[in-house]
C-alpha cells in the first residue's frame, strides 16, 4: 500500500494547488446534459429547449468506413474492449486536467488513473504552459436552435482567446485523421462568439498517447474560418438526415390509417 508521502510524490500534488489564473470575463450559461430516450443520443437541455450535441451531429454525418474496417481487423469483441479502455482512460485524464486547472488536486490510484495521470501531466507540462488565464473549464456552449456541447477549456493562450480540446490517443495522430476534432473546435468557437459576443481567435487540440508522446494541432485565422464553413455543412447535413428520418416515421405511422381507408373504399366499390 502506498504511504501518504508516496502518494504526494507520485501525484506531485504541490504542483496542482495553484491552478490557473481565473478571469470571470464571461458569465457562462448552465444547461443539462441528457440522453434522448428514443435515439440514445446525447442532447442538451438549455432553457427548456433540447439541442443535439456536437458529437452527435458529427457522429451521424461522418464517413464510418474507416471505423468499420478497424472493427473488422480487430474483431468486434477486441474493438469494444479497446474502445471502452480508451474511453475510461480519456475520462480519467480529463478529470486530472480539470482539477489541475481549478487548483483542487485529484488522486486516483486505480490502474486507469495511474495510466492517465502521466498523460495529463505531459499536457500540463507542455500544452498548458502558454495559458495566461482561463475563462472557463468544462464549459457548456450552445448555438441557439442548432447545437450544444461541452468544451474542455476557454482561455487566453499566447495572448489569443482560445478554445482548447484535450484528447488521448492510442497512437500518434496524422492531421488528415482529425477532421472532426477541428470541426468540433469550430462549432464551439461559433457558439461562444454568437452567445457571448467574443472573438475566439484560435483552437488548440492537445493530444497525448499512453507512451507520453505529445502532439498539438492549431487552427486560427483563415484556416479556422474554413473549418467553420465545413462545420455548417455538416450541421445542414445532420438536419436533412433528421428531417428525412422524421418524414419516414410519419409515413410509417400513417400506414395503418391509409390501409384502413383503402379497405373502406374497396368495400364501397
Amino acid at each position: 500500500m502506498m504511504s501518504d508521502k508516496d502518494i504526494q510524490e507520485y501525484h506531485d500534488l504541490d504542483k496542482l494547488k495553484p491552478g490557473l489564473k481565473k478571469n470571470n470575463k464571461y458569465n457562462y450559461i448552465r444547461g443539462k446534459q441528457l440522453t434522448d430516450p428514443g435515439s440514445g443520443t446525447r442532447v442538451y437541455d438549455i432553457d427548456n429547449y433540447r439541442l443535439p450535441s456536437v458529437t452527435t451531429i458529427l457522429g451521424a454525418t461522418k464517413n464510418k468506413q474507416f471505423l468499420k474496417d478497424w472493427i473488422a481487423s480487430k474483431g468486434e469483441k477486441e474493438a469494444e474492449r479497446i474502445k471502452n479502455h480508451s474511453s475510461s482512460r480519456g475520462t480519467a485524464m480529463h478529470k486530472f486536467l480539470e482539477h489541475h486547472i481549478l487548483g483542487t488536486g485529484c488522486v486516483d490510484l486505480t490502474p486507469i488513473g495511474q495510466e492517465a495521470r502521466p498523460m495529463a501531466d505531459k499536457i500540463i507540462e507542455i500544452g498548458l504552459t502558454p495559458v495566461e488565464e482561463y475563462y472557463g473549464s468544462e464549459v457548456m456552449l450552445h448555438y441557439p436552435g442548432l447545437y450544444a456541447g461541452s468544451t474542455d477549456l476557454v482561455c487566453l493562450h499566447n495572448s489569443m482567446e482560445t478554445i482548447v480540446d484535450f484528447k488521448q490517443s492510442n497512437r500518434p495522430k496524422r492531421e488528415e485523421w482529425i477532421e472532426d476534432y477541428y470541426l468540433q473546435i469550430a462549432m464551439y468557437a461559433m457558439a461562444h462568439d454568437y452567445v457571448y459576443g467574443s472573438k475566439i481567435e484560435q483552437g488548440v487540440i492537445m493530444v497525448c498517447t499512453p507512451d507520453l508522446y505529445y502532439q498539438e494541432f492549431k487552427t486560427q485565422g483563415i484556416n479556422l474560418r474554413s473549418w467553420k464553413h465545413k462545420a455548417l455543412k455538416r450541421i445542414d447535413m445532420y438536419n436533412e438526415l433528421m428531417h428525412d428520418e422524421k418524414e419516414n416515421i410519419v409515413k410509417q405511422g400513417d400506414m395503418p390509417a391509409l390501409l384502413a381507408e383503402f379497405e373502406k373504399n374497396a368495400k364501397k366499390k
Side-chain angles (χ1 to χ4, degrees):
M1 183 175 178
M2 296 178 75
S3 67
D4 290 343
K5 184 179 178 182
D6 289 335
I7 293 172
Q8 178 78 14
E9 289 177 353
Y10 178 77
H11 289 281
D12 197 10
L13 298 182
D14 287 334
K15 180 174 66 177
L16 296 178
K17 289 177 183 176
L20 298 182
K21 180 184 175 183
K22 178 75 186 294
N23 183 325
N24 295 314
K25 182 176 181 178
Y26 300 108
N27 184 24
Y28 291 115
I29 297 167
R30 294 182 180 274
K32 293 180 181 178
Q33 186 184 115
L34 307 167
T35 300
D36 185 85
S39 62
T41 57
R42 187 185 300 171
V43 296
Y44 287 83
D45 188 311
I46 298 175
D47 294 332
N48 295 317
Y49 194 89
R50 291 193 175 185
L51 297 170
S53 72
V54 167
T55 52
T56 293
I57 291 171
L58 295 177
T61 57
K62 73 187 299 181
N63 185 334
K64 297 181 177 65
Q65 190 56 51
F66 177 82
L67 178 61
K68 290 177 182 177
D69 292 343
W70 178 76
I71 292 173
S73 69
K74 295 291 182 182
E76 287 189 15
K77 189 174 180 180
E78 177 62 7
E80 188 68 16
R81 185 197 68 78
I82 293 171
K83 185 183 77 171
N84 291 338
H85 183 82
S86 295
S87 177
S88 297
R89 186 176 61 210
T91 298
M93 188 188 82
H94 276 76
K95 184 179 177 183
F96 284 127
L97 288 165
E98 182 183 6
H99 279 284
H100 169 75
I101 291 162
L102 299 176
T104 51
C106 179
V107 174
D108 182 351
L109 299 180
T110 65
I112 281 288
Q114 294 188 40
E115 187 178 353
R117 180 52 196 269
M119 296 167 69
D121 284 345
K122 181 60 69 173
I123 291 175
I124 291 167
E125 176 192 346
I126 303 174
L128 295 185
T129 297
V131 175
E132 297 141 66
E133 60 186 27
Y134 81 101
Y135 307 117
S137 173
E138 294 296 322
V139 179
M140 188 174 290
L141 297 171
H142 76 291
Y143 199 110
L146 289 181
Y147 61 84
S150 296
T151 188
D152 295 327
L153 183 66
V154 186
C155 64
L156 195 66
H157 179 286
N158 282 330
S159 301
M160 288 186 283
E161 292 202 349
T162 302
I163 298 288
V164 174
D165 219 14
F166 304 128
K167 301 290 185 184
Q168 66 83 39
S169 177
N170 288 318
R171 57 175 175 160
K173 294 289 189 184
R174 293 181 184 174
E175 193 158 28
E176 59 265 30
W177 297 346
I178 62 167
E179 177 178 331
D180 279 11
Y181 292 176
Y182 282 124
L183 293 172
Q184 206 171 354
I185 287 280
M187 290 169 76
Y188 292 146
M190 286 191 292
H192 199 285
D193 287 349
Y194 185 87
V195 174
Y196 301 105
S198 60
K199 291 184 179 178
I200 298 295
E201 301 169 86
Q202 178 182 232
V204 180
I205 302 156
M206 302 179 183
V207 186
C208 191
T209 65
D211 59 358
L212 307 186
Y213 182 77
Y214 176 80
Q215 291 176 284
E216 193 166 275
F217 301 92
K218 293 181 181 179
T219 178
Q220 52 189 249
I222 294 173
N223 186 257
L224 178 55
R225 286 198 294 275
S226 174
W227 285 115
K228 288 178 181 179
H229 286 302
K230 290 175 183 176
L232 289 170
K233 289 180 181 178
R234 291 281 285 272
I235 294 165
D236 190 49
M237 188 189 305
Y238 175 79
N239 289 333
E240 284 186 10
L241 285 171
M242 293 302 101
H243 176 73
D244 291 346
E245 188 174 301
K246 285 178 183 176
E247 273 201 340
N248 189 43
I249 291 171
V250 170
K251 286 175 183 175
Q252 290 178 9
D254 285 345
M255 282 306 292
L258 290 171
L259 288 170
E261 185 67 20
F262 176 79
E263 290 176 0
K264 180 180 176 182
N265 292 332
K267 287 178 181 178
K268 287 181 180 179
K269 292 178 181 179

